[in-house]
Amino acid sequence: MSKTYFDETHCAIGHPKSTFMQWMLTIDHKRIGIMYAAVMFVFFFVAVFTAFAMRLELFAPGGQYMDGDTFNQAFTLHGVIMIFLFIIPGIPAIFGNIVMPLMIGAKDVSFPRLNWFTFWLYIAGCCIALASLFIGEGVADTGWTFYAPYSMNTGTNVIMALVAAFVLGFASILTGLNFLVTIHRLRAPGMTFFKMPLFVWGIYATAWIQLLATPVVGITLVLAILEKYFGIGIFDPAKGGDPVLFQHLFWIYSHPAVYLMILPAFGIMSEIIPTFSRKEVFGYRTIALSSASIAGIGYLVWGHHLYTSGMSDIAKTVFSFLTFFVAIPTGVKFYDWVATMYQGKIVLSTPMIWALGTIITFAIGGITGVTITMIGMDVHLQDTYYTVAHFHYAILGGVVFLLFAGMHYWFPLVTGKMYNETKAKIAFYLNFIGFNLLWFPMFIAGYYGMPRRYFDYLPEFEIYHQISFVGAVIFIAGLIYMFWVFFKGWTKGEATTPNPWNATTLEWHLPTSPPPLENHSKVPYVDFDPYEYKHGEPVVKFNYETMQRID
Amino acid sequence: MGHEYVPEIAIDRDGNQHEVQGWQGDYYGGKLGFWLFMLTEVMMFGAMFLSLAYYNSLHPQDFLDASAGLNRLLGGTNTVILLVSALTMGLGLLRMRAGDVKGSKLMIWATILLAVAFLVIKGFEWTAEYHHGIFLMHDKLLPESSLPFGQKLFYGLYFAMTGLHGFHIIIGIGLMLWLLKRINAGKVSTEHHILHWNIALYWDIVHLIWVFVFPYFYMIGAGGATGGH
């Protein structure tokens, strides 16, 4: 059997003998992607259990297991880990690294050593975030948004959290930069932009957001650090500063960051739907261009986070209008996916049911987003559980569910093994039911006025919190079971062929499974569209010796 | 670097050959990447200029008064030094492309010298301001001092932005020393000078940012006042 990327690697420094050091120093994009996944899911579970601790506290009114201050630190820790360590870097760092170069026929990303450096920068950011837990007054209690002036005055470790977010942001910028250059320079001959797989389009749009938006929040965090450390009064009104300016600068980045999370996830959806419908994707160009336009419009809508912070009515109206506008390209994508499935030979494998489940959960997340776009509704629902439920439906039920879909989809590619289909489906249903049970009651609780970030509440909200708690238990059980299925699949699963799903994109046309060190042993000439099916069978076939078409 | 890269050939259905772009030795990609990185610098300083412009619109008179208090002579001298250093850096790159490695190194040393001079002058300037009671967490910039809010904001942003710019100068000096080391080791040469090219671009952005910092901080108050400290 020929060697795969598990057997050999390129290293940043020298050629160490030990396997461990080879992993630590690897510059192979596939290995780096796997390492990102390993670290991120550790943090993911830390944040999940922080959330579970909060659910436990909220099971009944009154304080049970933690006091208010601890609760504030718990939701900040949950938010900081989930947003900065997991979701924002998540899909680009994991699948952008593992499959994007394979999809465009590149041997690696443009700057493999930078990629290696970026990974360790990310680890450094994680370490700083973790260290803030144990130093001084403990982790920040500001919420992940670090709103001034409270963040300027609290005694907790806000500075360390800010530094961590800055370092992680820097890693994010460098990842985006690397991918932009890779997509521009290293596409296989013949692959024009409109012959790229849609996941690559998602990554491309994302990379621009990473590149252009992250520096703005970076400098905002630096200003906040300078303010806390040197007493410069830029955001603190006691020194003449303007706290609303902080919110503007923060959301100029952090709202595009929402699209930075969802666009690569939509890319995964756009891969899975045509593959398991055995049909060419409907409206390839509109899906590709809608990614770009979501990225563009996403810059202009940050103001909808500030409806209640004080803004002129005209500004509010303009931001409201622009925010509605984002729903159009998003809707276009959803109609295209549904139209792709129409009259397709749908195969209900696990990745496909994850994708279908996400269509439901993200539609709920998206539509509830449209309701709070309206200024009047938003003033009523601001900082209630309605908003909490909305963004968890959009981010957890959209981004993370699609990340899981992608994990099932590319599992055979990465490992060369197959997980157990039946068990994986059971895991999906556990997750899906648990998720809806967990978050749907919060829409109702929020509508009736349950505020977010409170560790105590009035007795009439008890029933919603208790249903949520049951949902949380099922959901966490489902998550653990899913990872157990993956683990079993990797260690004991059957070996697969390089293309188990009958997919058409280039990452499935490799000589071996898992892929060899430098990907395609020979790069094909791309004179075909990414998703060509005829009568449910892929059109394009290769001779894997020469990578020339034989269809 | 170091690996000799032999470009691969992909063959289309008509038998035509197409060269595959590898990541090794992709100079165009190296340049593109660095241009994109410089774009992030522009966004970063852009956000600070945005804050500056916002507070300027809130406290126009305070900004003029505070600006009048800065030392325009030292600031102006520094501007000239930085502009000349951009010239020497550019000339160094031209020399390198023309094959004159020795002249190129000379020009890089000249740039480093000018950059150090810039920092020294900046040091004098900050020291003088310190003695006037204008410094971070000091005297007039403390919350309880009677200096108007607008002036405090102006000085706060002044120290933040010139400080961050100075930090970029220090990084630039480090990069140039590293570049000299790479040239001496033969890793950067007339044929392989992408690193030189990128560091020259970096230095250009650093001086370009100063070209905006200088008038905004030093010159807006020049009209009504008679001079610096």
Side-chain angles (χ1 to χ4, degrees):
Chain A
M1 193 176 157
S2 56
K3 283 186 172 176
T4 70
Y5 71 101
F6 291 120
D7 305 314
E8 53 182 3
T9 186
H10 294 314
C11 288
I13 307 161
H15 305 281
K17 285 228 160 48
S18 84
T19 316
F20 177 75
M21 284 314 287
Q22 282 180 4
W23 275 88
M24 295 300 107
L25 294 175
T26 185
I27 58 170
D28 182 2
H29 64 101
K30 302 179 285 297
R31 283 192 178 201
I32 289 177
I34 290 175
M35 294 209 290
Y36 268 120
V39 178
M40 280 175 188
F41 279 110
V42 170
F43 281 110
F44 172 75
F45 274 103
V46 172
V48 164
F49 285 108
T50 322
F52 185 70
M54 288 189 281
R55 277 281 118 232
L56 207 60
E57 164 59 40
L58 291 169
F59 187 73
Q64 281 97 40
Y65 309 104
M66 47 172 104
D67 56 28
D69 291 335
T70 317
F71 191 83
N72 289 347
Q73 292 183 316
F75 72 66
T76 303
L77 187 69
H78 173 77
V80 167
I81 290 181
M82 282 297 195
I83 299 281
F84 290 115
L85 272 64
F86 178 67
I87 292 168
I88 287 183
I91 298 178
I94 299 174
F95 289 124
N97 261 318
I98 297 178
V99 289
M100 185 274 286
L102 290 164
M103 280 180 155
I104 61 173
K107 302 273 180 198
D108 206 321
V109 292
S110 264
F111 310 114
R113 279 183 187 79
L114 181 69
N115 205 14
W116 170 76
F117 172 75
T118 308
F119 173 75
W120 288 100
L121 199 61
Y122 167 80
I123 297 292
C126 295
C127 291
I128 299 170
L130 276 189
S132 75
L133 277 173
F134 306 107
I135 295 171
E137 294 293 306
V139 71
D141 59 352
T142 57
W144 73 277
T145 50
F146 310 115
Y147 274 180
Y150 180 71
S151 60
M152 301 299 146
N153 299 323
T154 170
T156 52
N157 265 324
V158 176
I159 287 190
M160 286 190 86
L162 290 168
V163 171
F166 180 81
V167 172
L168 293 166
F170 204 51
S172 173
I173 291 174
L174 293 176
T175 306
L177 186 150
N178 212 339
F179 289 170
L180 276 180
V181 178
T182 307
I183 293 170
H184 271 284
R185 293 296 294 161
L186 301 186
R187 279 169 288 132
M191 184 184 270
T192 59
F193 260 69
F194 284 107
K195 286 198 175 78
M196 293 193 310
L198 287 164
F199 179 70
V200 181
W201 267 100
I203 290 288
Y204 183 71
T206 306
W208 274 111
I209 303 178
Q210 285 175 307
L211 194 80
L212 291 180
T214 318
V216 179
V217 81
I219 197 65
T220 312
L221 300 177
V222 169
L223 286 177
I225 293 166
L226 291 178
E227 176 150 0
K228 251 189 110 67
Y229 206 78
F230 291 115
I232 297 173
I234 296 169
F235 302 126
D236 189 348
K239 296 169 193 149
D242 185 349
V244 179
L245 179 69
F246 180 87
Q247 295 191 21
H248 276 293
L249 289 176
F250 184 84
W251 286 112
I252 286 174
Y253 162 75
S254 297
H255 197 79
V258 173
Y259 302 110
L260 189 163
M261 302 167 200
I262 196 68
L263 283 174
F266 283 166
I268 293 177
M269 182 92 102
S270 307
E271 294 298 319
I272 289 175
I273 298 279
T275 300
F276 292 95
S277 306
R278 303 278 188 264
K279 250 185 83 194
E280 184 158 356
V281 71
F282 182 88
Y284 169 85
R285 273 177 190 247
T286 49
I287 294 185
L289 293 177
S290 66
S291 290
S293 43
I294 289 173
I297 301 166
Y299 273 97
L300 308 174
V301 305
W302 79 86
H304 67 225
H305 293 270
L306 283 82
Y307 285 159
T308 57
S309 305
M311 247 197 322
S312 78
D313 286 344
I314 292 175
K316 279 186 204 167
T317 316
V318 170
F319 278 123
S320 177
F321 173 77
L322 287 170
T323 308
F324 277 117
F325 215 68
V326 182
I328 296 172
T330 315
V332 165
K333 274 182 194 289
F334 274 78
Y335 285 124
D336 279 341
W337 292 326
V338 175
T340 305
M341 287 187 276
Y342 178 68
Q343 290 196 334
K345 288 189 176 178
I346 293 178
V347 184
L348 284 177
S349 297
T350 319
M352 186 64 170
I353 56 173
W354 271 101
L356 293 178
T358 309
I359 287 184
I360 298 169
T361 49
F362 190 83
I364 296 173
I367 290 167
T368 51
V370 173
T371 61
I372 47 179
T373 302
M374 288 176 262
I375 302 163
M377 284 295 276
D378 185 73
V379 170
H380 176 63
L381 297 169
Q382 175 91 32
D383 279 327
T384 65
Y385 266 67
Y386 189 91
T387 325
V388 176
H390 153 66
F391 73 71
H392 279 90
Y393 260 94
I395 301 302
L396 183 55
V399 183
V400 182
F401 272 26
L402 283 170
L403 173 61
F404 292 159
M407 283 169 72
H408 287 91
Y409 181 56
W410 284 306
F411 186 83
L413 175 84
V414 173
T415 63
K417 305 280 184 61
M418 187 53 97
Y419 53 84
N420 184 317
E421 271 285 327
T422 323
K423 287 179 182 167
K425 280 179 187 162
I426 294 171
F428 165 76
Y429 287 111
L430 276 176
N431 276 311
F432 190 74
I433 294 166
F435 172 84
N436 282 294
L437 211 55
L438 170 55
W439 295 110
F440 202 84
M442 294 193 187
F443 281 122
I444 306 164
Y447 183 79
Y448 284 126
M450 171 74 209
R452 70 171 176 162
R453 293 180 170 176
Y454 278 34
F455 92 117
D456 192 5
Y457 52 87
L458 296 173
E460 63 251 39
F461 295 116
E462 191 174 5
I463 179 69
Y464 306 111
H465 285 291
Q466 288 181 347
I467 298 172
S468 280
F469 180 82
V470 175
V473 173
I474 301 175
F475 186 50
I476 293 174
L479 285 175
I480 294 171
Y481 187 60
M482 186 179 77
F483 277 91
W484 175 248
V485 173
F486 278 138
F487 176 71
K488 280 306 218 191
W490 198 332
T491 50
K492 299 221 167 87
E494 288 174 30
T496 68
T497 57
N499 189 1
W501 310 121
N502 263 336
T504 54
T505 41
L506 277 186
E507 84 268 31
W508 300 105
H509 294 295
L510 291 162
T512 59
S513 176
L517 174 60
E518 288 205 322
N519 304 346
H520 304 269
S521 51
K522 195 138 175 35
V523 179
Y525 183 82
V526 181
D527 52 2
F528 45 87
D529 289 331
Y531 313 98
E532 287 188 15
Y533 283 101
K534 199 169 186 186
H535 306 303
E537 283 296 318
V539 171
V540 181
K541 293 186 179 67
F542 289 103
N543 172 350
Y544 289 118
E545 289 292 313
T546 61
M547 277 317 265
Q548 280 183 288
R549 285 176 63 176
I550 48 173
D551 52 278
Chain B
M1 312 273 162
H3 311 283
E4 207 43 58
Y5 177 66
V6 184
E8 202 183 302
I9 302 293
I11 300 164
D12 66 19
R13 303 188 98 182
D14 305 326
N16 301 317
Q17 299 192 334
H18 300 268
E19 195 175 300
V20 178
Q21 178 66 53
W23 57 269
Q24 298 97 329
D26 180 13
Y27 291 144
Y28 185 90
K31 267 201 276 183
L32 178 66
F34 208 76
W35 270 100
L36 291 174
F37 185 66
M38 288 300 104
L39 199 59
T40 68
E41 293 275 349
V42 171
M43 291 300 291
M44 200 175 87
F45 275 94
M48 297 183 87
F49 277 112
L50 197 73
S51 312
L52 191 65
Y54 171 64
Y55 286 126
N56 191 1
S57 72
L58 288 186
H59 311 280
Q61 192 55 47
D62 285 349
F63 264 54
L64 294 184
D65 294 345
S67 170
L70 292 178
N71 192 328
R72 276 189 297 284
L73 184 65
L74 291 183
T77 313
N78 254 349
T79 308
V80 175
I81 287 176
L82 208 54
L83 286 174
V84 174
S85 82
L87 176 70
T88 54
M89 192 71 199
L91 286 175
L93 183 59
L94 287 180
R95 290 274 166 87
M96 179 59 85
R97 287 169 67 188
D100 177 9
V101 177
K102 207 174 157 213
S104 170
K105 274 162 67 178
L106 209 65
M107 281 299 162
I108 296 170
W109 275 115
T111 317
I112 292 175
L113 216 63
L114 289 166
V116 171
F118 179 95
L119 287 178
V120 170
I121 293 179
K122 186 102 265 170
F124 278 123
E125 217 184 323
W126 277 27
T127 317
E129 275 144 14
Y130 179 82
H131 288 303
H132 281 88
I134 296 169
F135 204 69
L136 300 171
M137 305 170 81
H138 252 276
D139 256 7
K140 294 186 188 164
L141 293 194
L142 289 173
E144 56 270 20
S145 88
S146 60
L147 201 69
F149 274 162
Q151 295 209 26
K152 279 188 198 164
L153 289 170
F154 179 91
Y155 284 120
L157 279 162
Y158 163 79
F159 283 113
M161 289 178 78
T162 55
L164 198 65
H165 182 264
F167 183 63
H168 277 79
I169 301 257
I170 293 171
I171 291 178
I173 293 172
L175 286 173
M176 282 183 256
L177 290 172
W178 181 53
L179 175 63
L180 285 168
K181 197 170 157 247
R182 300 285 289 184
I183 294 176
N184 287 336
K187 297 281 171 65
V188 173
S189 64
T190 309
E191 291 83 36
H192 300 268
H193 56 270
I194 182 67
L195 185 70
H196 194 166
W197 193 294
N198 281 342
I199 291 174
L201 175 64
Y202 172 85
W203 198 249
D204 256 355
I205 300 276
V206 168
H207 105 264
L208 199 65
I209 288 167
W210 182 259
V211 166
F212 285 90
V213 167
F214 174 68
Y216 213 125
F217 281 109
Y218 291 82
M219 298 307 287
I220 55 169
T226 45
H229 301 300

